[in-house]
Amino acid sequence: MNEFWDNVTEQYDVKKILEEFIKRKRVPHAFIFSGQEGVGKFNTALQFSKYISKEFDSSSQIILKKINSLQEPYVKLIFPLPRGKGETAEDSATEKLNKDQIDLIHNEMKFKAANPYHRINIEGANTIKINSIRDINKFITTSFSDIGFRFIFIIDSHMMNEQAQNALLKNLEEPPKGIIFFLLTNEKNKLLPTIISRCWNIEFNPLSVMTIKNILINYHSITEKNADLIAQFAKGSLTNALGLFNADIADTLARTISFLRYSIGGRFYSAYREFNEIVNVKSIEDFRKIISFIKLWLSDVNRNKYSEGKYYFDDYSDILSKFNEKYSKSDVDNVFNSLNLLEELSKKNLNLNVLTLNLIFDLASLAIRK
Amino acid sequence: MEFKVNSKELEKLLSKIIPAVPTRTPMPILENFLLEVKDGLLTVYATDLEISLKASINIITDENVKLVVPARLLNDIVRSLKDTSIYFKLTSNKKVNLITDTGKYVISYLDPEEYPDIPSVVADKDTKDIFEASINGLELKNAFDKIAFAMSKEEMRPAMMGTLFDFSEEGLRFVTTDGHRLANLLKKDGKFSFVQQYVVPERAISVLSKLLDEKEVKMLLTKTYVSFKLSDIELITRLIAQKYPDYTSVIPLENEFLLKVKTKEIHDSIKRMMLFSTTSTRRVKFSLDKTMVEISAEDLDIGASGEEKVECEYNGEKLEIGFNSTYVNDILNHMSDCEEIIFKLHSPTKAVIIEPVEKKENQDLMMLLMPVRLNN
């Protein structure tokens, strides 16, 4: 391994594939890096870019530093942006934004340059605008023959609407020499087949619990006990892990358990009240997070039934045994499927109250003794 | 480290450089000037990565330094000062103090390493094929005024979003087109020993146009960028790295019917007919006869129509041809200094050439316009 790959945590398969391109001196002009959030797609793209520059263009340390700090014209960063007041198709992507929004963008880009695992978060930014794609067009048609390689990172590329994706297509088809695209996404299915077929697709794996734990301890000064707990529930994603850290996971787990107790015990109003206390300001993300916790609890139930290994809800293992004693015939798999359905439905902008009530009644069905 | 400059001199310098500073850019570093003090010369740079501007003034100092300061803040403070001396004094904590007789202003500065590299054509010794050309500033400005309007705004064909500089033995030809019309101006005063084409982006043309004066402009041309050296400022622009479409193939050769009209008369008439043309098509109809051309327009949506007759000299068959009135108006706007113009036509579906009757010395101007189909 080399200095660039050393900066990429895990992702051994990905590194192997990319290394092979370098060895064969044939690097494709466009990549799709897919996989869940917080597994290092952006960082891998960034390190790979530096590797390419060094290997094929003998780029100096200054240029590598500029790539690292995401400076144009070496790197073009495209990400979802909010819409400006009175913005039309002719304006540039940032022209009509107000000063606060521009300052926020500057800050977020600074954070991203300082920490490639940082997730850019701008209020109201829910699409990659077609104006941003036009910027790409200008970027690649302007002559930069004095620069060997220029890299275009499209973060959350699934947030391009169909029109924007079609606009991007032409650039993907025949980019000028030295341009390399990286489309980063955690929802590859939202990209057009025509885009996917023009790029080299690389899947990223979730990070191991150990790695997440180490990152949390070393970079975010989180205590070992807490890090251990968070890493278990992060599902292989650092973004999830940090989200859990901010939400005080121990408290959330305790509340999830009491919500389960109320639901299964038929105390629906208490369950509903408890749930609304966990889910902040009716956030659909929080809803999904709780569902995923409950799913983990259900898998613990099954593990306990067949007395297998370690539990996610290790601190609450006595509850698991009690549950299995009392409701030995409950149809856990069926409830699990219902939860999957609810999770799907939550993506379709359904009323959160309706979803919550469905969740409570689904859980209550666990208590039916046949 | 300190140096002294006159506020009015600096104001003049900064006001010329500031157009290259982008607003609301995702790259905050570009909202700064790069100041370089070297061998008694203060050079100010600004860039938006596409175009870069640089200009210098003499100052008295023995030291050399480079620093990056917020462009608008510096420009605004210098502009608001009366005629006085400003001492720039650098302090150790990355601040620069601007001291005048009556005031002291403190601005933070950044490291020059963070500022993008400004291309320098002369220093770029490795680049082969550097060509040189020079042209009078006013001539160049005049050329831009005549042809810049026809540049395309359509991103799908990036080359057409710029102006073609076509150097050849004939001289320097400027071409712009958006696929509906084409403007073509040949400057014959300089002959060139090289045959090269360069596509200069729209932004460079519009910024340069405002800077040009009667002095000579020296152009240094490379494959990647073109530098325009004016007497007191240099503009370096990156080129559009796409081949310009072969414009010669769309210029018809067999347009034998000639229509001669007074520019002002037909222009006034077109302006009035624009009021009656349908907003979606903007169509006007020319019905040509030997001595009279009838110009008419109709807006079916509001049930209004208009027609006018304009005297002309026409040598062809009777012909009806439609145009987009906005495009005709644009072309006539840019030919308003010609007393009479000639339309060269062939049929209602073939491109029309519009030229001045009296050609200027050393300059050929030609506009080309595609007709629109008439329903009948």
Side-chain angles (χ1 to χ4, degrees), chain A residues 62 65-66 70-74 76 79 89-90 92 94-99 102 105-106 109 134 137-138 140-147 166-167 170, chain B residues 23-31 48-50 112-117 119 124 153 155-159 161 201 203 223-225 238-242:
Chain A
I62 296 175
K65 209 175 141 193
K66 286 191 171 178
L70 311 178
Q71 279 198 33
E72 277 188 47
Y74 300 96
K76 177 103 192 154
F79 47 87
E90 260 98 67
S92 83
T94 49
E95 204 174 320
K96 287 283 165 76
L97 300 181
N98 62 37
K99 195 178 171 301
I102 293 283
I105 292 169
H106 289 171
M109 285 182 70
R134 293 217 175 93
N137 198 15
K138 190 170 176 192
I140 66 178
T141 50
T142 304
S143 170
F144 277 94
S145 54
D146 45 338
I147 295 173
N166 278 319
K170 194 169 180 302
Chain B
T23 46
R24 305 198 185 283
T25 159
M27 279 186 71
I29 189 79
L30 299 180
E31 291 176 355
D48 65 358
L49 295 176
E50 185 178 359
E113 286 83 52
E114 291 183 34
Y115 203 78
D117 302 328
D124 207 351
K153 292 183 175 62
E155 292 83 5
M156 293 318 283
R157 284 182 284 188
M161 294 176 79
R203 185 157 153 73
K223 276 186 178 159
T224 312
Y225 25 70
R238 291 196 176 265
L239 296 168
I240 296 178
Q242 281 217 331

Side-chain angles (χ1 to χ4, degrees), chain A residues 160-319:
Chain A
M160 287 184 283
N161 60 22
E162 199 172 324
Q163 196 190 5
Q165 292 195 40
N166 278 319
L168 179 68
L169 259 186
K170 194 169 180 302
N171 294 324
L172 276 181
E173 266 164 15
E174 40 188 51
K177 205 170 151 260
I179 294 273
I180 297 180
F181 281 92
F182 292 98
L183 278 69
L184 315 177
T185 177
N186 53 359
E187 292 182 60
K188 197 170 95 181
N189 55 342
K190 285 190 181 163
L191 293 175
L192 293 177
T194 37
I195 295 248
I196 296 176
S197 67
R198 278 165 179 78
C199 302
W200 195 284
N201 291 264
I202 294 183
E203 286 281 343
F204 278 61
N205 297 320
L207 299 175
S208 71
V209 171
M210 207 52 188
T211 304
I212 293 184
K213 186 178 152 187
N214 287 339
I215 294 176
L216 291 178
I217 295 172
N218 296 334
Y219 295 96
H220 298 275
S221 349
I222 294 174
T223 59
E224 191 172 345
K225 185 169 179 293
N226 222 355
D228 204 21
L229 188 62
I230 292 171
Q232 292 285 345
F233 282 91
K235 294 195 288 185
S237 151
L238 195 61
T239 312
N240 284 351
L242 292 174
L244 292 175
F245 171 62
N246 292 334
D248 185 1
I249 183 165
D251 180 58
T252 315
L253 290 181
R255 281 168 177 275
T256 307
I257 290 289
S258 86
F259 167 69
L260 280 165
R261 278 195 164 137
Y262 289 138
S263 303
I264 296 167
R267 292 166 64 189
F268 298 138
Y269 179 67
S270 303
Y272 181 76
R273 208 181 45 199
E274 185 70 45
F275 193 83
N276 279 341
E277 273 175 33
I278 331 175
V279 177
N280 280 332
V281 277
K282 307 254 169 208
S283 135
I284 209 85
E285 276 75 33
D286 276 3
F287 176 82
R288 279 189 216 136
K289 190 168 76 190
I290 303 298
I291 291 235
S292 72
F293 282 2
I294 295 174
K295 275 158 64 176
L296 291 176
W297 184 80
L298 289 176
S299 69
D300 276 355
V301 167
N302 271 344
R303 273 188 210 180
N304 179 274
K305 198 183 269 178
Y306 307 109
S307 39
E308 266 181 40
K310 198 173 176 244
Y311 306 121
Y312 286 104
F313 286 79
D314 221 12
D315 293 349
Y316 303 93
S317 51
D318 53 329
I319 299 178

Side-chain angles (χ1 to χ4, degrees), chain A residues 1-15 38-45 47 115-117 204-216 218-220 236 238:
Chain A
M1 284 294 145
N2 58 31
E3 51 176 315
F4 305 110
W5 290 148
D6 287 346
N7 291 330
V8 177
T9 320
E10 294 195 6
Q11 307 302 352
Y12 305 107
D13 293 345
V14 172
K15 286 193 263 193
V39 293
K41 297 187 291 289
F42 181 82
N43 186 33
T44 310
Q47 301 301 335
N115 171 14
Y117 285 95
F204 278 61
N205 297 320
L207 299 175
S208 71
V209 171
M210 207 52 188
T211 304
I212 293 184
K213 186 178 152 187
N214 287 339
I215 294 176
L216 291 178
N218 296 334
Y219 295 96
H220 298 275
L238 195 61

